[in-house]
């Protein structure tokens, strides 16, 4: 008696959906950017040939810690996630996973990640990973419904993975590490202001204190986007001055920074969805392009 393979289709579908839900808990788009920053920092801080085995251990440990932080962020925010179209289909608000499952997954991933980094990379990297988790889950997440300062706190946790990549290869937390940290920290402000403006009504309905919610005219969001994009231009040039980037990087960084600043100014002057989306696209291109050029130049030197 033969069994049609089509009878297994519902099982396969359920397995894939389950896997997709666990992946969704890690916020894969944000995760990808974090892993890129870790890899670039390791390349820049490393001396001699890149140890790909060590880099792989660092990326895996970082992935686990970040996945744990993202899962607990969703565990703490099911109500607000359910009220926004961009997050309503996440596993918890959509009802595909229980609160217990999300919490257990987040705890297991974070603890495993920190332990993995301590054993296979080094204790300083593990400690920074743990600090990132604490700030993101324990400070940033509850602050989102209380104060617009959540953006600055979130920017700190978003930039800390740079230091994980730096220390993973034995780099000391010097001016070079501070420069890369500051680049990623500053970049998040125009990026978040653009997103917050585009989804300002949803953020408001969910009770999240983003600048375009507390200041509906968007003036403060525009000023913050321009101010941080402006400061980012000279800061992004420091790698050349510090000696771990060449003159071509200088030109590339200046061009990218000027373009992002132009988009931020346009948003400040004409606060609408069109200028916000233009700024959002500029920020999505800016950081990967800048870091990729920096890493490529370092590998060729």
């Amino acid at each position: 008696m033969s069994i049609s393979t089509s009878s297994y289709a519902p099982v396969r579908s359920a397995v894939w959906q389950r896997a997709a839900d666990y992946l969704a808990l890690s916020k894969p788009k944000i995760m990808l950017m974090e892993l890129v920053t870790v890899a670039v920092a390791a390349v820049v801080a490393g001396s001699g040939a890149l140890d790909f085995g060590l880099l792989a251990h660092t990326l895996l440990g970082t992935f686990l810690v970040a996945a744990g932080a993202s899962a607990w962020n969703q565990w703490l925010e099911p109500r607000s996630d359910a009220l926004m179209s961009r997050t309503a289909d996440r596993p918890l608000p959509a009802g595909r996973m229980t609160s217990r499952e999300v919490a257990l997954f987040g705890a297991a991933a974070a603890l495993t990640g920190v332990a993995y980094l301590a054993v296979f990379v080094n204790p300083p990297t593990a400690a920074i990973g743990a600090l990132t988790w604490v700030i993101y889950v324990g400070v940033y997440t509850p602050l989102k419904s209380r104060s617009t300062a959540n953006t600055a706190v979130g920017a700190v946790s978003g930039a800390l993975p740079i230091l994980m990549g730096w220390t993973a290869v034995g780099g000391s937390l010097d001016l070079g590490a501070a420069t890369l940290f500051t680049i990623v920290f500053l970049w998040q402000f125009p990026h978040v202001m653009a997103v917050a403006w585009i989804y300002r009504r949803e953020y408001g309905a969910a009770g999240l204190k983003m600048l375009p919610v507390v200041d509906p005219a968007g003036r403060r969001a525009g000023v913050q986007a321009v101010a941080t994009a402006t400061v980012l231009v000279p800061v992004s040039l420091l790698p050349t001055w510090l000696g771990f980037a060449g003159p071509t990087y200088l030109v590339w960084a200046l061009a990218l920074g000027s373009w992002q600043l132009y988009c931020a100014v346009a948003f400040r002057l004409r606060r609408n969805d069109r200028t916000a989306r233009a700024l959002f696209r500029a920020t999505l291109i800016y950081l990967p392009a800048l870091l990729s050029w920096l890493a490529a130049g370092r590998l060729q030197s």
Side-chain angles (χ1 to χ4, degrees):
M1 178 180 179
S2 62
I3 300 177
S4 171
T5 56
S6 62
S7 63
Y8 294 106
V11 175
R12 288 199 301 268
S13 178
V15 170
W16 280 112
Q17 180 62 63
R18 197 66 167 172
D21 283 340
Y22 276 111
L23 181 62
L25 289 179
S26 71
K27 299 183 181 178
K29 292 180 181 179
I30 297 175
M31 175 73 73
L32 179 61
M33 187 68 78
E34 289 185 0
L35 296 181
V36 168
T37 63
V38 170
V40 169
V43 169
V44 174
S47 57
L50 181 63
D51 186 338
F52 287 98
L54 178 61
L55 178 59
H57 285 310
T58 305
L59 293 177
L60 177 56
T62 302
F63 174 86
L64 290 170
V65 174
S70 294
W72 269 48
N73 170 265
Q74 294 173 61
W75 177 61
L76 293 169
E77 295 187 322
R79 177 186 169 278
S80 58
D81 278 353
L83 294 173
M84 297 189 293
S85 61
R86 60 193 292 262
T87 55
D89 195 46
R90 286 176 174 172
L92 188 52
R96 295 191 302 273
M97 297 184 78
T98 66
S99 179
R100 177 183 173 83
E101 287 176 303
V102 174
L104 287 175
F105 170 79
L111 291 172
T112 301
V114 171
Y116 188 92
L117 289 170
V119 173
F120 293 101
V121 183
N122 56 49
T125 303
I128 297 173
L131 177 62
T132 303
W133 189 95
V134 169
I135 292 176
Y136 188 79
V137 174
V139 184
Y140 165 70
T141 298
L143 201 59
K144 287 170 68 178
S145 61
R146 293 175 171 85
S147 169
T148 58
N150 73 79
T151 300
V153 175
V156 171
S157 63
L160 279 173
I162 275 281
L163 303 185
M164 295 174 67
W166 195 275
T167 58
V169 296
S172 59
L173 297 179
D174 54 13
L175 185 56
T179 297
L180 290 189
F181 175 90
T182 305
I183 288 173
V184 177
F185 174 79
L186 291 171
W187 165 82
Q188 293 175 82
F189 288 88
H191 177 75
V192 170
M193 290 306 106
V195 173
W197 174 268
I198 294 167
Y199 295 102
R200 61 195 181 280
R201 294 180 182 85
E202 292 190 13
Y203 280 123
L208 302 182
K209 304 297 184 182
M210 309 302 290
L211 268 183
V213 174
V214 301
D215 175 25
R219 294 186 182 88
R220 291 170 61 188
V223 168
Q224 190 169 102
V226 171
T228 49
T230 299
V231 176
L232 186 52
V233 174
V235 171
S236 69
L237 306 182
L238 287 178
T240 299
W241 179 71
L242 292 171
F244 54 82
T248 54
Y249 165 82
L250 188 74
V251 175
W252 184 244
L254 185 59
L256 284 172
S258 298
W259 174 49
Q260 182 173 252
L261 177 57
Y262 170 81
C263 292
V265 171
F267 171 64
R268 169 67 184 88
L269 296 176
R270 297 181 299 278
R271 294 175 298 281
N272 54 51
D273 286 359
R274 182 180 62 81
T275 56
R277 291 187 185 281
L279 176 59
F280 174 67
R281 288 192 294 269
T283 62
L284 285 182
I285 295 171
Y286 175 87
L287 192 63
L290 184 81
L291 296 180
S292 296
W293 194 281
L294 183 61
R298 189 65 169 172
L299 288 172
Q300 292 170 6
S301 61

